[in-house]
C-alpha cells in the first residue's frame, strides 16, 4: 500500500503534474504497487506514454519505486504512489492564495473559518514534510462531531458555551514558562453541514 494516508502538495510544479487527468488516474491506480507494463494495461494506455507520465510524477515526489523485478536481462521497476490521497495546498497559488487569518476578522464569517482551514493545511503539510525527513511522527489530535441546532439562538448559545469551555481548558493546561514547552495550535470550527437544505442561508448572522 501507499505511504501516507493523505499528503499535501505544496509546490506549483507538483500541483500542475498531479492535476493532469491522466496522471491523476495513474496515481489512483498506484495505490497498489505496479510496474509500467501492469499500469499500462490497467489504464488502457501505451507503455511508452505511461513511462513518460511516471517520470513526471516521480520527479515531483508523487510516486516512488517499491521494488525491482528481474526478467532475464531486463530489470523492471515497480512503482507506488507516496500517499493514498492528496490535498493541494492553497499556497501553490502564490500571491493569490488565501492569506493568513486576520485577528480582526469577523469570527462568525465563513471567510475566517476558511482562512483557518487553509492555514491548517499549510501547517500540516510542512509538518508532514518534516516528519518524512526526520522519521519522527507528527503528534496531532483531531475531534469532530455532528450537532443539530433547534434555532439560530441555540447555535449562538452553543458557540458561547463552547468558547467558554475551551477557554477554561486552555487556561488550565497552558504553560509557556515550562522548560521545553512546545507550542500547539487549536482550531475549533462549527459550520452547517453541506448536505443540509439551506445550509448557505444565514442572512442574520456573520456573512462571508
Amino acid at each position: 500500500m501507499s505511504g501516507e494516508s493523505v499528503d499535501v502538495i505544496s509546490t506549483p510544479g507538483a500541483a500542475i503534474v498531479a492535476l493532469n487527468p491522466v496522471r491523476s488516474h495513474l496515481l489512483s491506480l498506484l495505490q497498489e504497487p505496479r510496474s509500467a507494463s501492469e499500469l499500462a494495461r490497467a489504464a488502457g494506455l501505451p507503455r511508452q506514454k505511461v513511462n513518460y507520465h511516471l517520470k513526471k510524477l516521480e520527479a515531483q515526489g508523487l510516486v516512488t519505486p517499491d521494488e525491482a523485478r528481474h526478467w532475464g536481462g531486463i530489470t523492471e521497476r515497480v512503482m507506488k504512489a507516496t500517499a493514498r490521497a492528496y490535498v493541494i495546498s492553497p499556497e501553490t497559488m502564490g500571491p493569490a492564495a488565501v492569506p493568513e487569518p486576520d485577528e480582526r476578522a469577523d469570527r462568525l464569517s465563513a471567510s475566517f473559518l476558511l482562512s483557518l482551514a487553509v492555514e491548517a493545511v499549510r501547517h500540516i503539510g510542512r509538518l508532514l514534510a518534516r516528519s518524512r525527513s526526520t522519521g519522527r511522527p507528527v503528534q496531532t489530535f483531531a475531534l469532530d462531531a455532528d450537532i443539530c441546532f433547534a434555532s439560530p439562538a441555540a447555535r449562538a448559545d452553543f458557540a458561547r458555551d463552547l468558547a467558554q469551555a475551551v477557554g477554561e481548558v486552555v487556561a488550565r493546561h497552558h504553560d509557556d514558562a515550562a522548560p521545553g514547552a512546545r507550542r500547539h495550535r487549536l482550531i475549533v470550527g462549527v459550520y452547517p453541514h453541506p448536505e443540509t437544505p439551506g445550509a448557505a442561508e444565514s442572512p442574520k448572522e456573520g456573512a462571508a
Side-chain angles (χ1 to χ4, degrees):
M1 291 294 292
S2 305
E4 301 284 352
S5 295
V6 181
D7 199 6
V8 179
I9 294 174
S10 58
T11 64
I16 291 171
V17 168
L19 286 172
N20 177 281
V22 174
R23 294 168 193 155
S24 178
H25 182 49
L26 295 180
L27 278 176
S28 69
L29 293 174
L30 286 172
Q31 300 307 302
E32 297 292 341
R34 299 176 193 256
S35 66
S37 58
E38 292 171 333
L39 193 57
R41 287 193 296 270
L45 296 171
R47 180 173 173 176
Q48 183 178 7
K49 187 173 184 178
V50 166
N51 277 325
Y52 168 78
H53 288 299
L54 282 176
K55 288 179 181 178
K56 295 290 186 180
L57 291 167
E58 186 176 10
Q60 297 297 333
L62 299 172
V63 301
T64 187
D66 184 63
E67 63 173 316
R69 295 174 183 166
H70 303 282
W71 305 92
I74 300 176
T75 299
E76 186 176 43
R77 294 196 307 168
V78 176
M79 307 296 290
K80 67 178 180 179
T82 55
R84 291 194 287 276
Y86 298 88
V87 174
I88 296 179
S89 173
E91 65 187 313
T92 60
M93 294 290 293
V98 176
E100 294 185 358
D102 185 349
E103 290 299 325
R104 298 166 300 176
D106 177 7
R107 292 177 179 271
L108 295 179
S109 71
S111 295
F112 183 71
L113 177 57
L114 185 60
S115 66
L116 288 176
V118 167
E119 185 178 51
V121 170
R122 284 197 295 255
H123 289 173
I124 294 170
R126 294 168 191 170
L127 290 171
L128 287 173
R130 185 187 306 169
S131 174
R132 285 192 294 271
S133 64
T134 63
R136 300 175 62 181
V138 182
Q139 296 182 345
T140 63
F141 170 77
L143 177 67
D144 75 308
D146 284 347
I147 180 170
C148 294
F149 298 110
S151 65
R155 182 168 58 184
D157 290 342
F158 170 81
R160 184 196 62 244
D161 292 346
L162 181 62
Q164 180 179 344
V166 170
E168 292 173 354
V169 172
V170 169
R172 188 160 63 246
H173 293 276
H174 177 71
D175 186 358
D176 58 358
R182 301 184 62 188
R183 184 180 178 186
H184 287 65
R185 188 72 187 274
L186 171 66
I187 297 175
V188 178
V190 180
Y191 54 90
H193 196 291
E195 296 180 3
T196 301
E201 301 173 7
S202 53
K204 296 182 180 181
E205 297 181 80

